[in-house]
Amino acid sequence: MSPVMDSGTSSARRSRSGSPDPLASNAGTTLPYATRSALHLKGLVPSGVENFVVQEQRALEQLNLKSTSLEKYIFLSWLRSTNSHLFYRLVLHNLRQIAPIIYTPTVGQACEEYSHIYPFLAPPNAVDGLYVPINEVENIEEIIQNYKESIKENDTPEITVITDGSRILGLGDLGMNGMGIPVGKLQLYVAAAGLNPDRCLPIVLDFGTNNRKFLDDPLYLGLRQHRPDDAEFYTCANRVISALHTAFPDMFIQFEDFSTDHAFGLLDQWRNNALCFNDDIQGTGCVILGGFISAVEQARIHPRDQRILFVGAGSAGVGVAKQLVDYFVIEHGIPEDQAKAMFWFVDSRGMITANRGDTLAAHKVYFARHDNTAQCSTLEETVEYVKPTALIGLSTIYKAFNESILCRMNQLNQQARPIIFPLSNPQSKAECTFEEAMRCTNNRVLFASGTAFPSYTIPETNQVCVPGQGNNMYVFPAIGLGAVLCKPSRITDTMIYAVAKALANSLNEEEKALGELYPRIERIRCVEAELAAAFIRQAVREGLAKDEKWVELAKNGLAEGMNPDGLFTQHMLDEVKKFMWLPAETFEQLRDAHPHYHHHPVVHSDSDH
């Protein structure tokens, strides 16, 4: 029986790949003969009809033939643009191999080269997001309308990741080239948490760049002008966000990789007025909190005795520290002033104190020390002064945790296990490696990094140790999924805290026995469902969830009190899994999903994930 075709095959409703028909585009060589006839493809493609397994094997073979990570990134980008179901099957079945290609660390190089590789990432007429130049902000409604006309009628975006490219990873101002970050982030929303790929909207605000390298690059595709001052920035950014919120009032907005001051400014302005979230501030803090909770439980000293030294005082560092303060207050009953006093910060001028002699940025004031008896100008001096039990790096300074500092951390913590979290990424910005931390601490370190490091084999025992990676991929997809499903009026710190608690709770017995701080990446789909369920439950507890289905569902499992505990019911978890999109595994599933993609209607077991 031939499939029923809809108006989506007209030239005005072409798929994002540019194919006249999205079914043919996503089926490719698996299209049955009868369907090829119905789509007028007879004689236009090779005669062989394959199944999805063979199709995937071919794609993986080609991926592995690419000699560099950037070549693999380009290949996968083209595949996603032309056959999204095959792409996401490949990602889900090979997540440990592919995640570092579609996101960190490879995405950093891809962003630096974005203008050079852009024409080869997708067919020429594929639409994959919004590029909003600052000189076109007054026409933002027209730009949004153009986007609406490029997508299928029911594919109203549920989620956007938006950046201005001003502070990409640890690489700095990449201008329009920063578009690779929203694109990559949204791929992880889909792969990890089952957001619908056709309802994801990456956006770059092309507000110029102050990076001379790109201004002088003849192939740079962004505006060739310097960035605006703060007043103009906020006027233009708020104009865009207002228009997006008007056009798509239920859309979840994730701010990504804005400069520190603008990151805090936009979040402060919009967090109570729109469904929004900043992954650099809130997401980084959430995932590190989840790992830190696990580390504190294994550190062999009382939580009150922790002395935590942060290296780097940008938006991410301060965001992380504030959430760790919340942990000590909520979980251990430590008054906020005492909890805050457990933290020290080092920036480019040394230990941050109230009497250092310089004017501190607003976000640094909260943690500035008032009780210091010395001024420390270097990290080494600060380590000697503070005698930390935990060293957390968000400095983007390569090898900031040198051998001397790592060995000193080991000496200072003979009765406890030192906590060392080099969180900067990509690898070229990491404060230390897993191997260095293991060697310098006699293999006692409780370790989490921001970028992926290989396993380490202890020479004396041949024990293979897997490093923890405090990758935001553990939390932001779940926050996005939970927000899309229950539609809270805003996202609160306690919702994010509930996600961090659920992350710590998600470790299975094997992972705990091995001293690991995060669940294995192969379990990411199951873990994201748990975290999203915890998020939804907390949103309902706070009276902020607007979707009545989830309000009624969560009411049955509510406990007394409002402290976020990261818990959820099995029924809630099962319902969340029903709404997690999965790529079609057979042609029949793909055919039934048309003319429009919907959330997958079948509850899949954890083994299917």
Side-chain angles (χ1 to χ4, degrees):
M1 180 177 176
S2 299
V4 177
M5 308 310 298
D6 77 326
S7 60
T9 60
S10 71
S11 60
R13 297 288 182 203
R14 298 170 73 87
S15 72
R16 292 185 185 183
S17 69
S19 168
D21 181 76
L23 176 62
S25 183
N26 284 289
T29 54
T30 69
L31 270 179
Y33 289 121
T35 308
R36 295 180 186 191
S37 295
L39 298 176
H40 306 288
L41 294 174
K42 186 183 295 184
L44 304 183
V45 294
S47 58
V49 177
E50 300 178 317
N51 59 39
F52 281 8
V53 173
V54 173
Q55 196 180 60
E56 189 178 324
Q57 288 173 346
R58 179 184 291 108
L60 187 61
E61 175 189 72
Q62 288 302 306
L63 177 67
N64 290 332
L65 287 174
K66 307 302 178 186
S67 59
T68 69
S69 295
L70 187 60
E71 289 175 329
K72 293 178 180 181
Y73 177 93
I74 294 170
F75 171 79
L76 289 171
S77 179
W78 187 275
L79 181 62
R80 181 181 60 85
S81 298
T82 54
N83 190 332
S84 63
H85 282 256
L86 174 56
F87 169 79
Y88 283 109
R89 285 199 306 275
L90 198 67
V91 171
L92 287 172
H93 296 162
N94 305 274
L95 189 58
R96 186 173 290 276
Q97 175 186 353
I98 293 179
I101 300 172
I102 61 175
Y103 204 61
T104 58
T106 304
V107 73
Q109 182 185 4
C111 285
E112 290 184 301
E113 301 290 337
Y114 197 78
S115 288
H116 292 246
I117 64 176
Y118 171 78
F120 316 110
L121 300 178
N125 56 346
V127 176
D128 195 21
L130 298 184
Y131 297 80
V132 184
I134 196 169
N135 55 11
E136 292 287 354
V137 165
E138 61 184 23
N139 299 316
I140 184 60
E141 286 80 9
E142 178 186 353
I143 292 172
I144 292 172
Q145 183 59 34
N146 290 343
Y147 182 76
K148 289 181 177 179
E149 293 174 3
S150 76
I151 61 177
K152 296 190 291 291
E153 184 176 352
N154 286 354
D155 284 346
T156 300
E158 297 174 317
I159 181 171
T160 182
V161 176
I162 182 169
T163 186
D164 70 345
S166 57
R167 199 206 55 161
I168 297 298
L169 302 174
L171 302 173
D173 182 358
L174 302 189
M176 183 283 306
N177 288 341
M179 182 56 143
I181 295 297
V183 170
K185 258 311 181 10
L186 287 167
Q187 291 173 42
L188 296 182
Y189 272 107
V190 176
L195 273 294
N196 188 325
D198 286 339
R199 304 186 71 178
C200 295
L201 175 57
I203 300 176
V204 63
L205 303 180
D206 186 3
F207 285 7
T209 178
N210 294 335
N211 191 323
R212 176 53 57 186
K213 172 184 175 182
F214 299 122
L215 292 173
D216 292 341
D217 183 354
L219 298 183
Y220 180 60
L221 290 170
L223 285 179
R224 296 175 186 276
Q225 63 185 54
H226 289 285
R227 291 188 175 275
D229 60 23
D230 283 352
E232 185 180 4
F233 168 84
Y234 283 113
T235 297
C236 293
N238 289 332
R239 176 80 169 81
V240 173
I241 297 165
S242 295
L244 289 169
H245 187 53
T246 299
F248 312 116
D250 291 328
M251 183 171 67
F252 173 74
I253 300 171
Q254 184 195 308
F255 299 116
E256 181 72 17
D257 285 352
F258 285 84
S259 65
T260 297
D261 290 345
H262 291 166
F264 279 99
L266 288 174
L267 183 62
D268 289 344
Q269 182 158 352
W270 285 98
R271 66 184 307 168
N272 294 319
N273 299 307
L275 184 57
C276 66
F277 163 78
N278 184 298
D279 189 44
D280 302 303
I281 299 170
Q282 298 163 291
T284 301
C286 181
V287 74
I288 301 313
L289 173 57
F292 190 80
I293 292 171
S294 298
V296 169
E297 292 173 353
Q298 301 179 47
R300 301 175 187 162
I301 62 171
H302 195 281
R304 288 178 178 269
D305 295 328
Q306 290 286 346
R307 300 169 64 83
I308 303 143
L309 176 58
F310 273 75
V311 183
S315 60
V318 172
V320 169
K322 286 186 175 179
Q323 285 173 290
L324 299 191
V325 169
D326 290 342
Y327 160 69
F328 288 112
V329 172
I330 294 171
E331 293 296 316
H332 300 287
I334 302 173
E336 182 180 350
D337 284 350
Q338 294 179 29
K340 182 176 71 170
M342 297 164 64
F343 291 78
W344 288 259
F345 271 80
V346 170
D347 64 10
S348 60
R349 299 192 62 175
M351 186 171 70
I352 296 178
T353 65
N355 60 351
R356 192 168 67 175
D358 59 332
T359 301
L360 296 177
H363 67 278
K364 296 182 183 182
V365 172
Y366 179 82
F367 285 106
R369 303 297 300 199
H370 292 262
D371 59 351
N372 57 298
T373 59
Q375 300 290 350
C376 302
S377 60
T378 67
L379 175 57
E380 287 82 359
E381 291 177 5
T382 309
V383 167
E384 288 302 321
Y385 178 79
V386 173
K387 295 179 171 53
T389 58
L391 189 60
I392 298 178
L394 283 154
S395 66
T396 70
I397 300 174
Y398 182 61
K399 303 291 187 183
F401 301 168
N402 57 40
E403 184 172 324
S404 173
I405 288 173
L406 293 173
C407 289
R408 185 58 178 149
M409 283 292 295
N410 187 50
Q411 294 166 359
L412 291 169
N413 294 280
Q414 287 299 303
Q415 305 304 314
R417 296 182 66 184
I419 298 171
I420 297 176
F421 283 16
L423 300 177
S424 296
N425 58 51
Q427 277 189 22
S428 61
K429 305 289 184 179
E431 286 83 5
C432 71
T433 67
F434 181 49
E435 179 181 351
E436 290 164 349
M438 289 288 283
R439 283 193 293 99
C440 291
T441 62
N442 296 326
N443 310 313
R444 300 187 309 114
V445 67
L446 292 165
F447 181 94
S449 60
T451 192
F453 285 111
S455 300
Y456 175 72
T457 301
I458 300 175
E460 295 78 10
T461 63
N462 288 325
Q463 178 185 351
V464 177
C465 300
V466 179
Q469 184 184 0
N471 193 320
N472 293 26
M473 186 174 78
Y474 281 114
V475 297
F476 69 74
I479 293 169
L481 176 61
V484 165
L485 293 181
C486 77
K487 298 179 173 57
S489 55
R490 65 182 185 275
I491 292 176
T492 64
D493 291 341
T494 39
M495 292 178 201
I496 294 171
Y497 186 97
V499 171
K501 279 285 291 181
L503 177 60
N505 295 341
S506 72
L507 288 169
N508 60 32
E509 293 306 315
E510 179 184 1
E511 291 158 347
K512 291 177 183 177
L514 293 171
E516 296 176 8
L517 304 184
Y518 293 100
R520 295 290 177 94
I521 197 72
E522 289 80 5
R523 298 199 302 117
I524 190 71
R525 292 278 294 201
C526 179
V527 170
E528 294 309 292
E530 294 178 5
L531 272 55
F535 175 94
I536 292 170
R537 178 173 173 271
Q538 186 63 29
V540 173
R541 294 176 82 185
E542 296 178 27
L544 296 175
K546 295 186 295 184
D547 190 300
E548 286 302 318
K549 167 189 169 66
W550 298 100
V551 172
E552 292 302 317
L553 193 63
K555 278 182 178 178
N556 298 327
L558 292 184
E560 294 297 324
M562 293 295 289
N563 276 352
D565 51 25
L567 301 179
F568 49 87
T569 65
Q570 184 62 44
H571 186 36
M572 171 78 79
L573 179 60
D574 291 341
E575 287 298 307
V576 168
K577 288 182 178 180
K578 288 182 183 180
F579 286 85
M580 293 174 71
W581 182 92
L582 280 169
E585 295 285 351
T586 66
F587 175 76
E588 289 71 26
Q589 286 183 359
L590 183 63
R591 179 196 60 204
D592 293 344
H594 285 270
H596 300 299
Y597 299 122
H598 296 292
H599 290 296
H600 209 288
V602 180
V603 179
H604 289 262
S605 68
D606 292 344
S607 61
D608 291 333
H609 295 169

